Amino acid sequence: MHSSIIGVVAIAWIFTKSKNVGLWFAFTVFYPAVLAFWRIPVFLYKQESWILTFALINAIISFFRSIRFIFTGTSFFLVSLAIILTASSNPLLWLSTSTILVLLLVAYVHRFVLAFKPSSIFQVHIKLFAGIREYGKKPFFVLDDSINRDYSVRREKALCVSQVQVLSGESSGHPSSYQDDQKGNRLVEALGTEAS
């Protein structure tokens, strides 16, 4: 197969004597990649439509997710069609016809279910951001136990020291002394201290 393609290119190159034959051959061989990575993105960019872009991405994701279903259904359909066109036996014709009928019903049910499921791009979006959220919960570094214990001890000492008794009517530099002041209460909550 490969040698015949190379032979055709070599013969075309001999007869045309053009340097563009190699470029033409490369463009023809890699046309699916050119279509997927150049023509379609440029077309979508020129349309300036996010809706069209998301619809195309959704169609591509849906196609690759259901490729097993499509391949199996198409195989059964083609085999049944070949039997219908070539067989003259009634049992085979009934079997093939009923197979195509079942395939049709399965396709209707499948499409009905897909109509009420979230789109494929939305499901991919949910999985992607759930993974990002889980990755974000992991700490970038883990504190040594001695540092962590030291911090806990210092925090407890700070909480004990920060609790002061203030008689009503007196002012204090401690934020919890402002009993009915919203600003003081928010500051107390932020510091993690308790009003006494």
Side-chain angles (χ1 to χ4, degrees):
M1 177 73 181
H2 298 291
S3 59
S4 62
I5 294 173
I6 294 172
V8 168
V9 171
I11 291 172
W13 212 332
I14 289 171
F15 285 117
T16 59
K17 297 181 182 178
S18 173
K19 295 178 182 178
N20 293 334
V21 172
L23 293 174
W24 169 81
F25 177 70
F27 181 78
T28 304
V29 168
F30 296 112
Y31 187 73
V34 169
L35 185 69
F37 298 114
W38 179 254
R39 297 269 173 125
I40 292 175
V42 167
F43 172 75
L44 292 174
Y45 180 74
K46 286 181 179 179
Q47 294 299 314
E48 296 180 358
S49 172
W50 281 104
I51 296 172
L52 180 64
T53 305
F54 283 126
L56 182 67
I57 292 170
N58 187 40
I60 291 169
I61 292 171
S62 296
F63 172 76
F64 283 111
R65 278 192 167 179
S66 62
I67 194 152
R68 184 176 52 190
F69 177 78
I70 292 170
F71 179 76
T72 308
T74 304
S75 300
F76 277 113
F77 175 75
L78 291 175
V79 168
S80 298
L81 186 64
I83 291 172
I84 288 172
L85 294 175
T86 58
S88 59
S89 170
N90 279 340
L92 282 176
L93 290 173
W94 278 106
L95 179 68
S96 299
T97 306
S98 59
T99 302
I100 291 177
L101 178 65
V102 167
L103 285 173
L104 181 66
L105 292 175
V106 167
Y108 283 155
V109 169
H110 181 69
R111 289 296 167 191
F112 184 77
V113 169
L114 285 179
F116 292 104
K117 281 178 65 175
S119 66
S120 298
I121 195 168
F122 181 67
Q123 292 173 353
V124 168
H125 182 267
I126 288 173
K127 288 180 183 177
L128 178 70
F129 281 101
I132 290 172
R133 189 178 321 123
E134 287 299 319
Y135 181 76
K137 287 181 181 177
K138 295 177 184 175
F140 289 111
F141 58 90
V142 179
L143 289 177
D144 192 337
D145 287 337
S146 62
I147 296 172
N148 204 5
R149 277 190 304 248
D150 188 39
Y151 173 75
S152 299
V153 169
R154 282 188 289 145
R155 187 172 186 328
E156 287 176 13
K157 286 181 180 177
L159 287 176
C160 292
V161 170
S162 66
Q163 294 177 357
V164 291
Q165 291 284 338
V166 177
L167 299 175
S168 59
E170 294 183 12
S171 62
S172 168
H174 190 272
S176 64
S177 64
Y178 305 106
Q179 296 289 333
D180 295 327
D181 187 16
Q182 289 180 355
K183 188 175 181 182
N185 290 338
R186 280 184 292 183
L187 188 57
V188 167
E189 289 174 11
L191 292 172
T193 60
E194 296 178 3
S196 46

